[in-house]
Every structure is written in C-alpha cells, then in structure tokens.
C-alpha cells in the first residue's frame, strides 16, 4: 500500500469554548496516499472514526468510494482525524480523567485545524464529510484557516434540527437511567432515524426487525463507551454555524470554494431541502438529490447510487457563479 500511516499527534494544552482545559490534546489520524497529490480532508460522522481507507484486513468506512474509482488512491492523498471526544484514540473521557464536561462542534473543528497545520498542510484541495462530518466541513469553511478548492457536504445542514435534538435527548435519558443497557436503547433509537421506513419494510419482516434492532443495540453497547457517546451527542446538539455570528452569509458568499451539497430521500434528520439551503449560502454551488430509500445513512451505503455525482463534481473545473 502507498504511504499508509495511522498515528497520534500530541499537541499540548487545548482550551475549549467553555474554558475547560485538555492538558495534552491527542489526535489520532489516518493518512494514505502520496504526498504532493491533491489533499482530501475527510470528516467522519457521529460514531465513525479516522479509518476512512483502513487496511485489507479491516477496510475503512469509505474504502468503497476510493477503491471503487470515484476518488482513486493514485489521484489523491487522504487525511482523516478521529474527533476529540470519540473513543478511538483522540482525547476523550477514556484517555483523560479530567476531560471537559462540555464540548462543542467548534472545539473539535479547531482541534482538527491544529492537526492539519501540525502535519504541515496549508491548502485543502477537497474537504468532504457526511452528517456530523458535513457539519465539521461547514465550520471549517467559515473559519477560513485554509484555502479550500472544493467542499462536499453530505446529509448535513447549517444547524442541528430540533427533531434530531429530541431524539438525542431521549438517548441521553436512557443512558443516564442505565449506562449499559441504555446504550443499546440509544443505538436502536438512532438506527430508526438513520434509515427510512421503506428500507425497513423492504429488508425485514415484523419479526426479523426486532432481532435486528436488538443485535445493533447490543453490538454498540459492547464496543462504544457511553461517556464518549454522551459527549458526542452534546457536540452534535451544539452545531449552529450562525450561533453568535452575524456575518456567515457574507463569509460564505465571498469564498471561492466550489461547494456541492447532497441530500438523500427520506432523511428524517436532515431533509434534502435543508441540505440544499446550506449550499445556497455559497457563491459557487451544485446540489444533487439521491432518490434511494435508505434515508440518512445513504452517504455510507449504496455508493453506486450517488458517488458518480461526486466523481463528476471533482472532475469539473468550472462551476457557474450565482
């Protein structure tokens, strides 16, 4: 494999938005590809990790996009950071007994920006993420720490919806009642919002779906730390690019970044029209709608249904200005 690295950066003291201190910020990351090729920064979703590409024995969560030819490994280099608060190697409640009680999306994005700078990158050719990853991309674009040629925002909006926050609160209550079994319930609840009713009816009988839900919940309960999950739910709920700002539209209109948004049919959490509305705030924008019936998780599945749009967007050099 070409230049495959998984490592952890130790970046020293880091103060969060709430004023809490991480004494030695740790960021786990994956880098794959040849340096000198266009840089793709990939931002992962809520319970994802930094292993975008992975290995032959343990393929990453977007390996199919890369090896499928939509973003060929020989054409790009890929960089993904595990967000702080997550249980996969970056600073979190698992690594630091005094980990902050309050963490926001802006905190995890600022940490990622420090990581990118530390690795010596000054320019991002392609910035891409889905769901919580798309929210990170929006915040990175606003911060303007790096020039970004193209950005791809999948199944994400400019703020976390009230509908999503309501489900997150039920998940919290379940975990607080019983951290272990509550995690199973929280995951089962989450799965109902990630997939559409049509996809469930197509895949399961009424009896099968009960066993499937329990399987997903128990698997998650046994491998994801409950304190980390509570942290990440807070991060998700904190997302609002306009919070405390009155210049977001001006900033986005003045960016030369070409932005593609993509919405998925039957996405309960982030409907297509709201995803499109994010892109319309930028000067250069293309939007695609994916008419499958999986729902919100479409950006992690059925690549052949939507990745050709990604491939085309990355190959087009001129996008009409609004």
């Amino acid at each position: 494999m070409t230049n495959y690295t998984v490592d952890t950066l130790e970046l020293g003291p880091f103060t969060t938005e709430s004023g809490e201190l991480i004494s030695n910020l740790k960021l786990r990351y994956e880098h794959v590809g040849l340096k000198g090729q266009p840089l793709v920064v990939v931002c992962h979703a809520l319970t994802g990790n930094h292993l975008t590409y992975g290995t032959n024995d343990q393929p990453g969560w977007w390996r199919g996009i890369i090896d499928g030819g939509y973003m060929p490994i020989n054409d790009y280099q890929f960089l993904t950071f595990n967000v702080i608060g997550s249980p996969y190697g970056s600073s979190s409640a698992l690594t630091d007994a005094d980990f902050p009680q309050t963490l926001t999306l802006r905190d995890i994005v600022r940490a990622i920006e420090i990581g990118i700078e530390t690795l010596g990158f000054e320019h991002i050719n392609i910035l891409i993420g889905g769901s919580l990853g798309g929210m990170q991309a929006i915040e990175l674009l606003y911060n303007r720490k790096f020039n970004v040629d193209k950005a791809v925002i999948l199944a994400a909006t400019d703020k976390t919806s009230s509908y999503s926050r309501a489900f997150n609160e039920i998940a919290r209550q379940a975990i607080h009642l019983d951290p272990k079994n509550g995690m199973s319930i929280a995951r089962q609840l989450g799965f109902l919002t990630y997939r559409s009713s049509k996809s469930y009816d197509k895949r399961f009988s009424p009896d099968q779906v009960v066993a499937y839900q329990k399987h997903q919940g128990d698997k998650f309960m046994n491998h994801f730390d409950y304190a980390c999950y509570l942290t990440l739910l807070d991060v998700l709920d904190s997302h609002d690019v306009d919070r405390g700002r009155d210049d977001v539209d001006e900033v986005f209109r003045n960016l030369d970044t070409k932005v593609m948004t993509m919405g998925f049919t039957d996405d309960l959490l982030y409907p297509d029209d709201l995803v499109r509305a994010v892109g319309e705030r930028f000067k250069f924008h293309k939007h695609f709608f994916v008419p499958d019936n999986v729902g919100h998780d479409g950006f992690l599945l059925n690549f052949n249904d939507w990745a050709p749009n990604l491939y085309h967007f990355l190959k087009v050099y001129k996008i009409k200005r609004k």
Side-chain angles (χ1 to χ4, degrees):
M1 186 183 294
T2 303
N3 289 9
Y4 184 79
T5 301
V6 173
D7 204 351
T8 302
L9 298 175
E10 297 194 15
L11 301 168
F14 179 87
T15 303
T16 67
E17 263 199 289
S18 64
E20 296 174 273
L21 178 68
I22 299 174
S23 59
N24 184 18
L25 177 67
K26 296 181 177 65
L27 278 184
R28 190 77 169 160
Y29 72 93
E30 176 193 68
H31 177 268
V32 59
L34 292 171
K35 290 187 176 181
Q37 293 286 72
L39 176 66
V40 181
V41 173
V42 185
C43 301
H44 71 72
L46 184 71
T47 58
N49 57 37
H50 53 291
L51 300 177
T52 299
Y53 191 71
T55 64
N56 291 333
D57 292 333
Q58 293 184 309
W61 52 273
W62 255 3
R63 182 75 173 255
I65 292 288
I66 299 170
D67 282 355
Y70 299 111
M71 300 182 75
I73 192 69
N74 292 325
D75 293 348
Y76 303 99
Q77 56 177 318
F78 299 86
L79 176 63
T80 305
F81 290 96
N82 180 223
V83 301
I84 55 174
S86 167
Y88 295 115
S90 293
S91 292
S92 72
L94 280 180
T95 66
D96 188 344
D98 298 320
F99 192 76
Q101 294 296 306
T102 302
L103 197 70
T104 69
L105 185 85
R106 294 180 187 180
D107 292 325
I108 68 173
V109 167
R110 189 158 56 86
I112 287 170
E113 290 170 344
I114 295 170
I116 294 171
E117 290 176 331
T118 300
L119 290 175
F121 295 108
E122 300 176 349
H123 180 92
I124 298 173
N125 299 97
I126 300 164
L127 174 64
I128 184 169
S131 193
L132 183 69
M135 298 171 189
Q136 294 169 59
I138 293 167
E139 193 70 27
L140 277 156
L141 289 171
Y142 174 82
N143 287 348
R144 292 154 291 165
K145 294 286 186 183
F146 308 94
N147 288 326
V148 179
D149 295 334
K150 292 187 176 182
V152 181
I153 299 166
L154 308 169
T157 55
D158 51 17
K159 66 179 179 180
T160 298
S161 67
S162 298
Y163 191 75
S164 175
R165 293 188 67 160
F167 278 101
N168 293 343
E169 179 56 26
I170 297 170
R172 280 191 198 90
Q173 291 180 30
I175 294 168
H176 286 309
L177 286 171
D178 180 344
K180 186 172 178 65
N181 293 308
M183 280 288 281
S184 177
I185 294 169
R187 186 59 167 179
Q188 291 181 57
L189 182 69
F191 248 85
L192 291 177
T193 68
Y194 302 153
R195 306 291 174 87
S196 70
S197 62
K198 294 175 185 175
S199 69
Y200 265 60
D201 285 340
K202 183 177 180 180
R203 185 173 177 183
F204 305 111
S205 71
D207 292 332
Q208 289 172 331
V209 76
V210 173
Y212 174 78
Q213 284 286 111
K214 189 69 165 59
H215 167 72
Q216 290 295 341
D218 289 351
K219 183 172 69 171
F220 187 70
M221 172 182 72
N222 290 322
H223 88 265
F224 206 97
D225 180 75
Y226 81 90
C228 291
Y229 193 59
L230 289 172
T231 296
L232 293 176
L233 289 179
D234 289 344
V235 166
L236 182 60
D237 282 358
S238 76
H239 171 56
D240 181 352
V241 72
D242 292 287
R243 174 172 58 87
R245 299 164 174 162
D246 58 11
D247 63 345
V248 176
D249 283 325
E250 179 183 1
V251 168
F252 285 168
R253 282 196 303 267
N254 286 318
L255 291 178
D256 289 328
T257 304
K258 281 71 174 176
V259 176
M260 181 177 81
T261 51
M262 193 177 296
F264 296 80
T265 195
D266 296 328
D267 187 340
L268 298 175
L269 299 175
Y270 304 103
D272 176 71
D273 60 330
L274 298 182
V275 178
R276 177 193 289 268
V278 176
E280 290 175 347
R281 303 180 74 169
F282 293 90
K283 179 166 55 176
F284 300 103
H285 173 232
K286 296 278 288 184
H287 180 78
F288 291 98
F289 172 66
V290 184
D292 66 17
N293 67 356
V294 175
H296 179 69
D297 262 1
F299 71 96
L300 293 170
L301 303 166
N302 301 339
F303 297 141
N304 291 338
D305 290 339
W306 62 265
N309 295 325
L310 170 66
Y311 178 84
H312 176 72
F313 174 74
L314 297 181
K315 294 301 181 184
V316 170
Y317 292 95
K318 292 184 178 180
I319 296 174
K320 185 178 180 181
R321 178 173 178 169
K322 290 188 287 187

